[in-house]
Each structure stands twice: as C-alpha cells, then as structure tokens.
DNA sequence: CACAATTGTTTCCTTTTGGGCACTATAGCA
DNA sequence: TGCTATAGTGCCCAAAAGGAAACAATTGTG
C-alpha cells in the first residue's frame, strides 16, 4: 500500500512519532547500545514495545541491528547515517519543548520535565531512573 | 493531573502531534483564517475533528480564536506569538520529511508527498484539493 | 538435570484516537 | 413560512496504539 503524506512534517512524524522512539533515539545518540541496556534505561517499557519500536526504526532505516552469534544472544543497535541526520532536528524539538515547559511552569501550570538535554546534545548519561 | 514529559521532544510532539495539526498550522501560517476556509482546504476533515484540533491548539496557546458577533457566525483563528515560534521548527521538520520522501522515491519505494513546501515556507497557497 | 542469562514472540486485553452522522442556533431573505 | 449560511455539539462506533503476562530458544555452569 502506497504511503501518502500530505506535507513533509507528516513524514517526519511517522518516523519519530512512536511513544518510545524519541527516548530510544536519545540513548542511541550515545553510540551503539544493547537491547538489555536500553531496557534498563527504560524501566517501564515492555519487551514487546521495545522490539516493536526498534523494528520500526530499523525498517525506516534510522537504526541498524547487529546480531552477535553468541549464547546468550547479543544484539546491538546503532544509528545509521540517515538516523544521524535526525539529530539536529531532535535537538531543536527538544529545545522548543523544554522552553515551553519552563514557560508553563513559570505560569503556574502542572507540568514537569524529567530529563533535560544539555549543550545542544540530545543525549544524556544513561542514568537509570523510572519515568 | 500533572503532565509529565520525559524529554523536551515529547512536549513538542504533544503540541503538534494531532492528525490534522500540522496541516492546520500550515494554513494558519498564511495569516488569520476562518473555520469554513480551513474546512474547504481540508476536504476530508469532519466538523468534529476540526473543532477538536482547534480547541486543543487554542488551549495550548498556539492559536487564538476570535468570534465576530454576527449571524451567520464568523470565527477567525490565528497563530499566537507562541504559535509563531513553532514556524522554524515546522519548516525544519518539513524539510527533513520531504528530503526523506524523495530519497525513498529514488529508492523505488511507494511513497508520495501531496503538498510540498517551498522556500523555507511552511505555507502553501490555499489550493483546494483532496488529500 | 536444573537454572541463569539474553533477546525476543504471541495472545489477549485496555486505552486512545479518529470518524459518521444527526442535530442545534440564528438572522436575513424569497 | 421555509430555506440558507456558518460554526459548531453530542452520541456512538471503529481503528490504532499501547500494555500485561506467559512462553520460546540456546548454551554454559553448578
């Protein structure tokens, strides 16, 4: 079935719009990462959702999947070239969103941002914490 | 209920992530526009969805709603100051998405982009066409 | 033999999102 | 009186997205 987007923005949203995709891309920004590491960093994600989101990003050619022939298994995910082109956009989106949250907080609204990105980096140290 | 975002990107996505919101913001980019005009430009939208998306954008303070005391009614929507801060971001997202679609097409995939944005403008002339 | 470690898959369910369609209100006009 | 134009509401249903929990496969180790 032919995919039809009305405007470019929609094509972009389809790629990064999943519930866990921005978070996953954040961690991927720090370099290749194993499944289990991701899972530990995203305590509330289920196996199903994790692999589903990863599979979608992979078939969208945003990330690559490298399987090591070992037991127990070892699989590493990494940003592809195309995935890396998302970085600046994600950084900009993060900035806009952070700015917005701060304004809303200043206006007394009940909003909170758990992780903040720093220095134009989307990444953050892989601190494990529930969120 | 307190809204919690894990990272800035998620706060951004909540604002622009509705099915019709990017399109609506496109048209709004050309200046104030009446409900009926929007509807004519979005042939497939239902009244319900249109007002719902507009209400959300309004309560997010992205757009303003101006009611003229007339019969039949006249209501005009326009970008707020905060809404205007979205423009560059939307333009960037549009560019990334358009670029991506072109690449996929070059790779022989079944993808199509109905409207293209031009010259760094998110806007397009309000051509009526179904999509 | 039983079990741990790792990366998944499968089935079933709940929640969220979007859509269909009938209905409302009001003033002018034929 | 009945019709038009405009901007909606309300109720119910369908589709999409997300989640819980059990199960699968493999090999080294106690």
């Amino acid at each position: 079935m032919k995919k039809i987007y009305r405007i470019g923005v929609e094509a972009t949203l389809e790629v990064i719009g999943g519930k866990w995709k921005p978070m996953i891309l954040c961690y991927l920004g720090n370099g290749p990462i194993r499944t289990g590491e991701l899972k530990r960093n995203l305590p509330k994600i289920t196996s199903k959702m994790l692999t589903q989101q990863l599979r979608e990003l992979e078939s969208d050619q945003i990330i690559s999947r490298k399987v090591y022939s070992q037991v127990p298994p070892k699989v590493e995910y990494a940003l592809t070239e195309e995935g890396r082109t998302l970085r600046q956009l994600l950084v900009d989106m993060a900035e806009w969103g952070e700015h917005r949250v701060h304004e809303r907080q200043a206006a007394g609204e009940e909003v909170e941002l758990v992780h903040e990105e720093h220095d134009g980096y989307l990444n953050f140290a892989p601190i494990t914490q529930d969120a």
Side-chain angles (χ1 to χ4, degrees), chain A:
Chain A
M1 239 298 271
K2 186 161 190 172
K3 270 283 169 199
I4 294 186
Y5 304 103
R6 290 168 295 186
I7 49 179
V9 181
E10 296 187 344
T12 303
L13 286 173
E14 184 163 286
V15 170
I16 62 173
K19 173 150 182 190
W20 301 91
K21 287 181 188 176
M23 290 291 286
I24 289 173
L25 292 172
C26 271
Y27 285 104
L28 270 277
N30 286 326
I33 187 173
R34 294 186 57 178
T35 315
E37 258 182 290
L38 270 175
K39 211 167 171 185
R40 258 169 267 122
N41 283 306
L42 301 170
K44 308 234 172 109
I45 203 174
T46 60
S47 292
K48 191 195 111 178
M49 282 309 295
L50 180 56
T51 49
Q52 181 196 299
Q53 303 277 296
L54 289 169
R55 293 283 181 284
E56 289 176 13
L57 288 168
E58 192 194 356
S59 89
D60 284 341
Q61 308 182 42
I62 301 302
I63 67 174
S64 61
R65 178 168 181 271
K66 183 172 178 185
V67 184
Y68 294 77
S69 295
Q70 302 183 355
V71 168
K74 172 177 175 182
V75 176
E76 247 180 21
Y77 294 93
L79 289 177
T80 60
E81 180 109 7
E82 196 169 347
R84 270 174 257 128
T85 69
L86 265 176
R87 160 175 278 272
Q88 188 55 54
L89 190 55
L90 287 168
V91 169
D92 293 342
M93 292 181 67
E95 256 172 39
W96 193 90
E98 291 179 27
H99 181 78
R100 179 184 168 78
V101 168
H102 293 148
E103 291 221 324
R104 296 272 148 280
Q105 283 173 338
E109 290 183 26
E110 298 262 305
V111 192
E112 195 186 333
L113 197 53
V114 178
H115 294 299
E116 307 252 344
E117 290 114 19
H118 304 292
D119 306 319
Y121 276 78
L122 185 66
N123 322 348
F124 36 76
I127 312 151
T128 303
Q129 60 182 101
D130 36 7

